[in-house]
Amino acid sequence: KRLMEPRSRADKVRTTMFFSALSMLLSAAFAAPLAIVMKWNILETVVPAAVIPLLIAPWMIWIMADVTIRLFQAQEQLEQIARTDPLTGALNRRGTQELLTKAFARRHDESGFCAIVLDIDNFKTVNDSYGHAGGDAVIVHVAAVMRMVFDREDCHIARFGGDELGVLMPFLSIAEATLAAEHLRAAIERTPIVFGDRHITITASIGVAELLPGDESADFMLMRADASLYSAKMLGRNIVRADRLRSAA
C-alpha cells in the first residue's frame, strides 16, 4: 500500500525505485518478443528498450509520489482542523467523540480511563465585565493551564462548548484523576489572567468520573462527570467532586 500511497520521503524513494525497475522490465519484456518476430538483433533491441524508461520514468514517478505525499499531508491537516477547537487548540466535540470511541473499544486493555469536566465559575460575569474578548482570553488561559498541569502525551485537553472544558486521561485511576483535578483547580485559582492593563482572577468547578465496566458507552462516564461538576457548583464552586469517591477538595 505504501508503494501506491507514499507517506514519507523514504516511501517516495522506494516507490520511485520499484516502478522505475518495473517500467524497465516491462519495456524489455515487450521488446524481446518483438525483436524475435521482426528478426532484429535481440541485444541491440532490448538494451535501449530497458534504458530509455530509466531516463524518463524516475522523474515522472518522483513527481507523482511527491504530489501524493502533499495531498496526504493536506488531508491530514484538514482532518486535524476538523477535530480541533480554533480558539484553544483543544479537541472539539468531534475530536473528543472520536477519542472516546477508541478508548471505549480498548477499555479492557487499559488499566483505567477517566475524564475531568471543568466549568469556569461566574463566567457570565467575566463576559459582562470584560467583553467577549476578555471571556475568550480567560478560556485560552484556562486551556493553557490545563496543558501545563497535564503535561503528558496521553492526556488530551477538550473543549465541550462555551466555558466547559475537560481532560481525557487513560491509565489513571479515579483517585489519581481526582488528585490531578485538585492540582488543576489550585493552579487556575492562583494564576490570574493578564488582559490589557487588568488582571482577572478566576476559579473553576471540576467534576471527575471514570469509565466503568458496565458502561454501554463512554458517554456514561461524561454524564457522571457532568453530575459531579453540578454537585461541585451546588456546594459553592471552586471545588473538585469525584464520582464514586465523592471526595471534596
Side-chain angles (χ1 to χ4, degrees):
K1 185 178 180 180
R2 286 296 184 90
L3 287 174
M4 300 299 296
E5 300 176 5
R7 297 289 184 265
S8 65
R9 183 179 178 84
D11 290 341
K12 185 163 62 171
V13 170
R14 283 192 291 267
T15 297
T16 301
M17 293 176 64
F18 175 79
F19 284 106
S20 295
L22 183 62
S23 66
M24 180 187 69
L25 291 173
L26 290 175
S27 181
F30 176 78
L34 182 62
I36 294 173
V37 171
M38 301 299 295
K39 298 182 180 180
W40 296 337
N41 184 290
I42 293 180
L43 188 61
E44 292 179 354
T45 303
V46 171
V47 171
V51 171
I52 290 173
L54 291 179
L55 299 176
I56 302 172
W59 302 105
M60 295 180 61
I61 296 167
W62 182 268
I63 291 171
M64 292 175 64
D66 188 66
V67 170
T68 301
I69 290 175
R70 291 178 184 274
L71 288 173
F72 174 74
Q73 291 173 341
Q75 182 182 358
E76 278 195 325
Q77 289 175 354
L78 289 173
E79 289 178 354
Q80 182 65 28
I81 291 171
R83 292 192 295 265
T84 303
D85 172 57
L87 179 64
T88 61
L91 293 175
N92 59 16
R93 284 188 175 275
R94 174 183 170 179
T96 300
Q97 195 58 51
E98 288 178 0
L99 182 63
L100 288 174
T101 300
K102 292 177 183 178
F104 187 75
R106 60 174 183 265
R107 64 193 181 279
H108 300 302
D109 301 325
E110 296 182 351
S111 56
F113 192 94
C114 293
I116 284 176
V117 177
L118 173 153
D119 200 62
I120 300 170
D121 295 330
N122 302 309
F123 185 70
K124 185 178 184 301
T125 302
V126 173
N127 265 337
D128 292 342
S129 301
Y130 302 98
H132 290 294
D136 286 349
V138 168
I139 292 173
V140 170
H141 173 81
V142 170
V145 173
M146 294 169 78
R147 288 191 181 91
M148 178 184 67
V149 173
F150 296 94
D151 187 20
R152 290 173 40 175
E153 289 186 3
D154 55 358
C155 288
H156 300 273
I157 311 301
R159 185 184 181 196
F160 302 119
D163 63 316
E164 189 174 81
L165 296 97
V167 188
L168 307 176
M169 301 169 292
F171 310 114
L172 286 184
S173 67
I174 186 72
E176 292 169 327
T178 303
L179 181 60
E182 174 55 30
H183 289 319
L184 174 61
R185 184 205 62 78
I188 292 171
E189 183 179 26
R190 67 172 179 261
T191 312
I193 298 98
V194 178
F195 182 66
D197 58 351
R198 291 172 287 184
H199 288 71
I200 307 173
T201 301
I202 60 167
T203 59
S205 300
I206 301 175
V208 187
E210 66 179 333
L211 191 61
L212 301 176
D215 286 342
E216 296 179 8
S217 74
D219 291 335
F220 284 76
M221 173 183 64
L222 288 184
M223 286 189 289
R224 289 193 299 274
D226 272 326
S228 297
L229 169 61
Y230 179 78
S231 176
K233 295 179 82 69
M234 291 300 99
L235 288 170
R237 298 185 173 87
N238 195 25
I239 289 174
V240 174
R241 292 290 291 178
D243 181 62
R244 299 187 75 190
L245 281 184
R246 295 298 177 191
S247 58

